[in-house]
Each structure stands twice: as structure tokens, then as C-alpha cells.
Amino acid sequence: MTLQFRDCALHVDGTLVVADLHFGKGAASNVELPLGAGEDCVDRLEPLLAHFEPDEVVLAGDVFHSFDYVPDAADRALADLSRAVRAAGARLVVVRGNHDTMLGEAYAGQIHDEYELDGDPTTVVCHGHEKPETEADRYVIGHDHPTIVIEGQKRPCFLVGDGAYRRSDVVVVPSFNRLVEGVSVNGRIGTARPELSPLVTGVASFRPVVWDGDSDETLRFPPLGQFERML
């Protein structure tokens, strides 16, 4: 299965994966948002659907932000996203995250704890806050909201770990919501990371991948343990 990176989404042979949409985060925030900031996830998803023409779109957990209620804005955002996916001729697959305690109140479709993609090698999408039950050659997860600071600029990044979890590959997808600050991986080598997914062990071996929208290219870096010494 070929991995393609664009914006904060991962495309895997006909499947588009986005994670940590955190719909409703703006409504739950107690701080004034920057001018122009907003939950533009659906607007950014539409060109990705046009570019990749996927058969399915998998939401890899934390669709909602609040644990105990569903703001109207979050409900509308999920409905708009569902319509955009259908309009593109794709099917929507929803995976539960640790924030999604109220997801069943707003989404009538099937909600998965883990979702296995068709094809070889076997690939399982899960949120990543818990150890997976399904054995796979590759796991695609969210949960950690990785970012990296390069030349003073903080960017969302993917993390790719070959054989990182029980000899299976792990790909960490950044948050698709630009209101989510993200957790910088800079300076984290050798430090305790209680927020990390249990699938992200030996983080120094993970390779950052950054999508550069200005140049329309994917920037691939050495493993964090090596790359950090270069910064």
C-alpha cells in the first residue's frame, strides 16, 4: 500500500484518513480565537476528495472535542462533512477516539473501535489511545497531534515508525483541526511523554513527514533522534 501525504491527511490506496477533527473545540474554548481562525475542516477536505478520489474516508477518532455534550456547531460540522464525502462518491467510516463519548448521540452510522483496510500489507486504523486488538502489519493512528518546529515555524507533521510497535509499522496522523495547537516533538527525545499513544514507543526512531502547501511537496526527514541533532 502506497502512502501519500497531503495537508494533514493520509491517503492509502483508495482510503483517505483524517484524525482528531475535534469538532466543537471553538465553541468550547474560553479564549478569543485569532482573526480568521475557524473550524475549516470541511472546506479543506473537499479539495482532498477531488485530488485523491478515494473510495472511503476514515475518521480516525476524536471527531468531537467535548466529552459531555455536542455543540450545535459540532453537529453541523459532522453533517456537512458526511454530505461532502457522499457527494464525492465515497463512503464514510468513523472510528471512535477517547473524546468521542457523545458520538453516538449525533452519528447514526456504525462506529468502529478499529477498522482494517482492504489490501496488503494489512493496515488497521485506530485512534491510538489504547493498544489495538487486531494484529496488523501497519497501524495508522491519531491521538498525539504531532507538530515540529523548523526554523522557528511550527508545522503539523506525520510520524512514520518502521517496525515501531511489535515489529509493525506505525503512522501517526496530525490533527486535521487547525484550532488544535498540537504537541511539538522537538526536544522530546528521551523524555517522559505520558500523552503519547502506547503505539509510539522509541519515538527517536520515528521519521517526521511534513506537507508543504506552498511548494506542493512532501518533505521527509531523518528519524527524530538524528534530525533533532541537526536542528
Side-chain angles (χ1 to χ4, degrees):
M1 288 184 172
T2 303
L3 301 180
Q4 295 175 283
F5 308 87
R6 194 173 185 88
D7 196 343
C8 291
L10 176 71
H11 183 256
V12 189
D13 289 356
T15 298
L16 187 67
V17 181
V18 295
D20 296 285
L21 294 150
H22 284 275
F23 286 145
K25 180 172 175 59
S29 177
N30 292 322
V31 299
E32 184 176 351
L33 300 175
L35 183 64
E39 293 174 289
D40 60 351
C41 298
V42 178
D43 291 339
R44 287 168 44 230
L45 182 66
E46 289 177 331
L48 291 168
L49 293 168
H51 180 82
F52 289 115
E53 299 182 344
D55 298 317
E56 60 185 3
V57 176
V58 180
L59 309 185
D62 283 4
V63 179
F64 290 151
H65 181 70
S66 297
F67 292 95
D68 54 357
Y69 76 109
V70 180
D72 290 342
D75 198 5
R76 289 193 301 270
L78 179 56
D80 289 345
L81 182 144
S82 298
R83 282 192 290 270
V85 171
R86 289 196 302 270
R91 62 182 174 272
L92 182 64
V93 177
V94 176
V95 174
R96 190 192 320 272
N98 56 300
H99 275 250
D100 291 322
T101 55
M102 301 295 293
L103 185 55
E105 301 296 318
Y107 183 69
Q110 182 177 4
I111 301 173
H112 303 260
D113 291 322
E114 303 172 358
Y115 181 72
E116 184 173 343
L117 308 187
D118 291 334
D120 184 42
T122 56
T123 298
V124 165
V125 179
C126 54
H127 183 56
H129 61 299
E130 298 176 335
K131 294 180 180 180
E133 295 185 0
T134 306
E135 292 187 3
D137 299 312
R138 177 196 294 139
Y139 295 97
V140 176
I141 68 172
H143 186 58
D144 284 341
H145 310 168
T147 64
I148 193 165
V149 179
I150 303 174
E151 297 181 345
Q153 184 177 3
K154 189 174 184 180
R155 297 167 174 257
C157 73
F158 301 83
L159 294 176
V160 179
D162 298 330
Y165 178 73
R166 297 180 179 175
R167 299 185 180 179
S168 298
D169 298 341
V170 177
V171 182
V172 186
V173 180
S175 172
F176 200 71
N177 188 333
R178 289 196 280 204
L179 297 183
V180 174
E181 182 181 359
V183 178
S184 173
V185 297
N186 298 75
R188 299 287 183 146
I189 305 304
T191 63
R193 292 283 308 277
E195 76 276 16
L196 275 178
S197 164
L199 286 82
V200 180
T201 57
V203 68
S205 66
F206 279 73
R207 294 176 283 113
V209 176
V210 175
W211 166 253
D212 187 347
D214 293 334
S215 62
D216 195 30
E217 64 177 329
T218 301
L219 308 178
R220 303 172 189 266
F221 297 97
L224 279 168
Q226 177 183 346
F227 182 54
E228 192 170 68
R229 294 192 295 270
M230 299 165 56
L231 294 176

